[in-house]
Amino acid sequence: MPPTILPPDKKPARACGLRRAIFWSLLAATFAVVIGLAIGLGVGLGVKHNNKDKKASLTAAKSSDYYIGGAIDPAYYSRDGAFNGSGLALASQSFGSGEYGELVLYFQHYSGSIRWQRLTPDNGWLGGTASEVVATDAKNSTPLSAVAYSLNGVSKWHLFYIDNSNRLREKINSNSTNIWIEGPLTGENHTVMDADQVGMQACWYGNDYGDADYKHSPLPNQGNSTANTTGSGTDVGMHLWYASDASTFQQLGWRNGDSNWTYQQGWQNKNGHAGLGCYSWGPGTTTYVMMVNSQNTVEVWWKDTNTNTSTSTGHPINQWTNSSVAINNVHPSTSLGYTNAFYAQGKDGWITGYNIDWASENTTINGSFPVNKPGILGTHLSVTTLPDQSGGDSLCVFYQTNGSDVTFATRDLVQGAWTAATLEVPNS
Ligand SMILES: *[C@@H]1O[C@H](CO)[C@@H](O)[C@H](O)[C@H]1NC(C)=O
Ligand SMILES: *[C@@H]1O[C@H](CO)[C@@H](O)[C@H](O)[C@H]1NC(C)=O
Ligand SMILES: *[C@@H]1O[C@H](CO)[C@@H](O)[C@H](O)[C@H]1NC(C)=O
Ligand SMILES: *[C@@H]1O[C@H](CO)[C@@H](O)[C@H](O)[C@H]1NC(C)=O
Ligand SMILES: *[C@@H]1O[C@H](CO)[C@@H](O)[C@H](O)[C@H]1NC(C)=O
Ligand SMILES: *[C@@H]1O[C@H](CO)[C@@H](O)[C@H](O)[C@H]1NC(C)=O
Ligand SMILES: *[C@@H]1O[C@H](CO)[C@@H](O)[C@H](O)[C@H]1NC(C)=O
Ligand SMILES: *[C@@H]1O[C@H](CO)[C@@H](O)[C@H](O)[C@H]1NC(C)=O
Ligand SMILES: *[C@@H]1O[C@H](CO)[C@@H](O)[C@H](O)[C@H]1NC(C)=O
Ligand SMILES: *[C@@H]1O[C@H](CO)[C@@H](O)[C@H](O)[C@H]1NC(C)=O
Ligand SMILES: *[C@@H]1O[C@H](CO)[C@@H](O)[C@H](O)[C@H]1NC(C)=O
């Protein structure tokens, strides 16, 4: 049956669960508060463009393939709003008593600091001011990655970024402390490729982000938002991948309870400037990772950790195996993201969502769709699925369309037109 596409004006416009009118009035309110604050404080924060001036004379030769924003031309540094080339990461935090978590967006402010805004239970985006700063030592256009989970009655969230000496950094917070502390990764001196556009992604693995009572967005092939742990492994933890040079990713692992991260393996012939995607929180024992190879083709690799079954030629156990899925000719600095749909940016700036049928060696792409309108080339993107007011779910894609913005585009989970709005990012 072909999907019925309702004209946009026949559906109430929603933005990540928000009715438009409510949303805009909340933005206006937030904006008013911010102006008040800015006047109160009197002074703005200095703009940080570290180490880039010496490179400015080289810009004529730079294509946007591996650069973004002010690294191409200093005129492109944002003068307000978000950093041009901001990392973007989403986390559902503060899970409590079976409720949906609050959605938190991490981004880089034009001043260079890493900040957050949250979608409150009463449906407004709040924060992003100097009071919501997580880090001030991030490199320009650092990728950001956030992982949130809930175990043994405590919700925790980890934020990963790259500092201005190209070291990996981990900050951890929880709903029992509400204080950011350095995670073990910070002290481990992992050096990331020195480049403007560089891939880094952390992924939770194990079933459903922890406790089984956590309600989440619907999993692929399961029309139910309650965790189903049947047939799943019991290990929970994180994987983290980062580019150590232009063609190599390093993979680290951390298991819940570990005091440090452990080196796992290197991945060769990959595009280290591109992002990375993963799907490792569904039912079953197979984990997936998506990377862009040196020919700018997206590859989907899978690994089944179920040691109860025996290895066969088509289905090895405990070994990363390439599927036959290929998405050719993506943008060389594309960011990748997965929640219900898999997203990648093409060379024309358009972000495409792909529906994927996950089945280890039989994984296939079943249909694709364009997202809203094109982003700046090499924009970071972060995606999620949220419940909406009509009882259904909506796809949400956060990305940048002009460089000083954070745009979020949303569409019904299975069909329909996109609507979009921009987050109000305070200037001070
Ligand atoms: C951000 O940088 C891009 C190039 O990466 C440029 O096309 C765009 O105009 C810049 N945006 C602003 C607000 O300067
Ligand atoms: C933290 O989150 C957990 C998991 O949802 C919840 O059980 C607990 O009550 C929360 N703790 C606080 C102090 O809010
Ligand atoms: C971290 O690594 C860099 C280069 O790999 C090295 O020069 C530096 O000494 C190391 N620092 C520590 C504290 O291990
Ligand atoms: C979802 O599945 C759980 C069992 O895993 C069941 O108890 C619950 O009623 C289901 N909810 C819906 C809405 O189908
Ligand atoms: C839970 O998942 C298993 C395997 O994926 C499936 O067989 C079972 O029907 C599911 N249970 C529920 C309540 O959805
Ligand atoms: C593997 O077998 C053990 C022992 O029978 C069982 O406890 C475990 O749940 C099984 N794991 C999976 C993923 O089926
Ligand atoms: C890292 O953790 C592992 C497992 O928890 C442990 O065996 C190892 O000794 C630790 N390494 C360091 C340097 O602390
Ligand atoms: C992985 O599979 C895809 C699809 O067949 C292919 O394009 C790509 O070259 C493969 N990569 C490797 C390293 O085998
Ligand atoms: C993949 O397809 C083959 C052939 O149809 C089948 O034998 C195998 O069980 C499938 N594997 C998975 C994990 O679905
Ligand atoms: C592909 O997706 C359509 C819905 O968009 C679904 O009806 C169909 O069964 C899917 N095909 C496969 C092989 O999963
Ligand atoms: C970029 O978009 C934001 C949000 O829509 C807008 O406020 C700003 O004026 C735009 N900047 C440019 C240079 O177009």
Side-chain angles (χ1 to χ4, degrees):
M1 192 185 72
T4 323
I5 301 184
L6 298 174
D9 59 343
K10 292 278 157 54
K11 282 182 79 179
R14 287 169 201 287
C16 287
L18 304 182
R19 223 184 272 279
R20 264 245 181 103
I22 301 175
F23 174 74
W24 285 115
S25 61
L26 275 163
L27 276 194
T30 312
F31 194 53
V33 171
V34 167
I35 290 175
L37 254 181
I39 292 169
L41 291 172
V43 258
L45 299 172
V47 179
K48 192 180 75 175
H49 298 152
N50 35 305
N51 292 334
K52 293 296 171 183
D53 291 347
K54 67 170 192 252
K55 292 183 186 167
S57 58
L58 304 171
T59 53
K62 286 179 183 172
S63 80
S64 58
D65 277 3
Y66 302 124
Y67 294 91
I68 194 165
I72 299 177
D73 186 325
Y76 292 154
Y77 282 117
S78 303
R79 289 179 187 81
D80 51 25
F83 198 86
N84 191 352
S86 170
L88 297 170
L90 293 165
S92 279
Q93 296 177 188
S94 303
F95 319 136
S97 55
E99 295 298 314
Y100 288 102
E102 282 174 358
L103 189 70
V104 173
L105 174 79
Y106 296 92
F107 68 99
Q108 188 166 31
H109 189 250
Y110 84 97
S111 63
S113 59
I114 306 301
R115 302 183 175 192
W116 54 268
Q117 292 205 12
R118 69 193 165 102
L119 182 61
T120 59
D122 57 351
N123 279 344
W125 285 96
L126 289 178
T129 73
S131 305
E132 286 84 26
V133 169
V134 184
T136 52
D137 61 350
K139 70 181 269 174
N140 288 345
S141 69
T142 174
L144 294 173
S145 185
V147 173
Y149 56 91
S150 161
L151 288 173
N152 309 321
V154 178
S155 290
K156 288 192 177 175
W157 45 98
H158 298 231
L159 181 71
F160 302 91
Y161 67 97
I162 302 169
D163 73 13
N164 44 32
S165 328
N166 293 306
R167 302 286 155 73
L168 279 180
R169 291 260 179 176
E170 176 185 26
K171 300 264 187 193
I172 306 175
N173 204 334
S174 82
N175 73 342
S176 64
T177 60
N178 199 22
I179 291 169
W180 288 102
I181 58 167
E182 294 293 337
L185 193 67
T186 294
E188 293 175 16
N189 203 16
H190 298 283
T191 303
V192 182
M193 167 172 61
D194 183 7
D196 193 47
Q197 294 271 48
V198 48
M200 187 276 292
Q201 183 73 45
C203 295
W204 175 256
Y205 67 80
N207 221 244
D208 290 317
Y209 305 101
D211 292 347
D213 65 353
Y214 168 49
K215 276 170 89 180
H216 55 79
S217 58
L219 292 165
N221 312 323
Q222 300 216 325
N224 187 316
S225 294
T226 303
N228 173 2
T229 52
T230 312
S232 297
T234 50
D235 264 6
V236 294
M238 288 181 270
H239 290 123
L240 184 143
W241 289 267
Y242 69 92
S244 54
D245 64 46
S247 63
T248 313
F249 274 94
Q250 306 296 342
Q251 181 185 325
L252 307 175
W254 174 88
R255 195 181 296 207
N256 182 47
D258 282 0
S259 59
N260 59 29
W261 287 75
T262 314
Y263 175 79
Q264 294 184 328
Q265 72 176 91
W267 293 74
Q268 321 300 331
N269 302 319
K270 301 292 180 272
N271 175 350
H273 296 283
L276 213 134
C278 56
Y279 175 49
S280 48
W281 53 88
T285 50
T286 303
T287 289
Y288 299 86
V289 60
M290 290 72 90
M291 295 182 181
V292 177
N293 69 18
S294 302
Q295 287 75 48
N296 295 323
T297 292
V298 175
E299 300 177 347
V300 176
W301 292 71
W302 60 273
K303 179 177 168 180
D304 186 349
T305 55
N306 187 354
T307 45
N308 290 359
T309 56
S310 55
T311 287
S312 66
T313 37
H315 194 99
I317 297 298
N318 256 334
Q319 185 186 316
W320 285 108
T321 308
N322 194 7
S323 75
S324 56
V325 171
I327 302 171
N328 296 317
N329 293 315
V330 294
H331 187 272
S333 296
T334 182
S335 181
L336 304 178
Y338 179 77
T339 317
N340 296 91
F342 173 69
Y343 301 87
Q345 187 179 38
K347 287 175 176 157
D348 55 4
W350 279 93
I351 294 162
T352 301
Y354 299 87
N355 297 314
I356 300 192
D357 288 332
W358 302 105
S360 302
E361 68 272 26
N362 303 328
T363 298
T364 52
I365 292 178
N366 180 16
S368 67
F369 52 87
V371 174
N372 191 43
K373 66 171 189 172
I376 53 169
L377 294 174
T379 178
H380 287 103
L381 60 87
S382 189
V383 303
T384 191
T385 304
L386 287 181
D388 58 37
Q389 288 156 343
S390 58
D393 292 280
S394 296
L395 300 175
C396 294
V397 180
F398 291 72
Y399 68 111
Q400 293 188 293
T401 60
N402 74 11
S404 61
D405 64 319
V406 176
T407 291
F408 58 105
T410 180
R411 194 204 77 173
D412 179 76
L413 182 59
V414 286
Q415 65 186 29
W418 289 87
T419 54
T422 51
L423 254 69
E424 197 64 51
V425 179
N427 280 336
S428 60

